[in-house]
Amino acid sequence: MNKKVVILALLLVSSLTACGKSNSTPSPSSSSSAAPTATSSGATTKVDAQAVFKANCVSCHGANLEGMVGPSLQKVGGKLTKEQIVTTITNGKGAMPSFKGTLSADDVNALSAWLADKK
C-alpha cells in the first residue's frame, strides 16, 4: 500500500512540474485568435494566443481546455474577467505557477483576452 501512495505522489509531482513546459515549438494556426501589439519601432505585430497556450498551458489544462492536472478553461470567461485571468497567469494561484518573467506582457494580455472569450 505504501508503494501505491509513493507512486501516486511521484505522478502528481511530475505532472505539476510539467505545467508550463514544452519541448516542442507550436505551429501557428490560421484560425487562432491574436491580439495586436506595438513594438518599440512602432510596428504592429500579433501575438498568437493559441500558440502561447499550446507552449505553456496545454500540459495542465489540456489541448481542448478540458482540464487535466489543472482545471477546465472551456468556460473560464464566464467565471473570470480578463483582468482576473491576467492576475492568475501573472501571479499563479494554488498549484498553478506564476508566469511572471516567463511570458511577456503582450503574451499574457493576448492569452487573457482569448481565454476571457471562452464563455
Side-chain angles (χ1 to χ4, degrees):
M1 179 154 147
N2 286 337
K3 287 183 180 180
K4 290 181 183 177
V5 172
V6 171
I7 290 171
L8 181 60
L10 289 173
L11 286 172
L12 179 61
V13 168
S14 65
S15 295
L16 290 175
T17 57
C19 287
K21 297 190 185 205
S22 175
N23 292 331
S24 62
T25 303
S27 59
S29 171
S30 60
S31 64
S32 61
S33 173
T37 58
T39 63
S40 58
S41 64
T44 300
T45 61
K46 291 189 178 191
V47 174
D48 185 342
Q50 284 184 328
V52 173
F53 180 85
K54 287 178 185 177
N56 297 281
C57 313
V58 77
S59 62
C60 292
H61 295 287
N64 297 312
L65 292 89
E66 72 274 15
M68 293 171 56
V69 175
S72 170
L73 299 177
Q74 290 176 338
K75 296 183 180 182
V76 69
K79 298 173 188 171
L80 300 174
T81 65
K82 179 184 179 282
E83 291 75 22
Q84 290 170 318
I85 296 170
V86 166
T87 299
T88 302
I89 293 169
T90 303
N91 300 324
K93 184 175 181 179
M96 181 174 159
S98 165
F99 283 87
K100 187 175 192 174
T102 303
L103 296 177
S104 70
D106 292 338
D107 289 344
V108 172
N109 284 327
L111 183 57
S112 298
W114 181 70
L115 289 170
D117 287 340
K118 308 294 179 205
K119 299 186 184 209

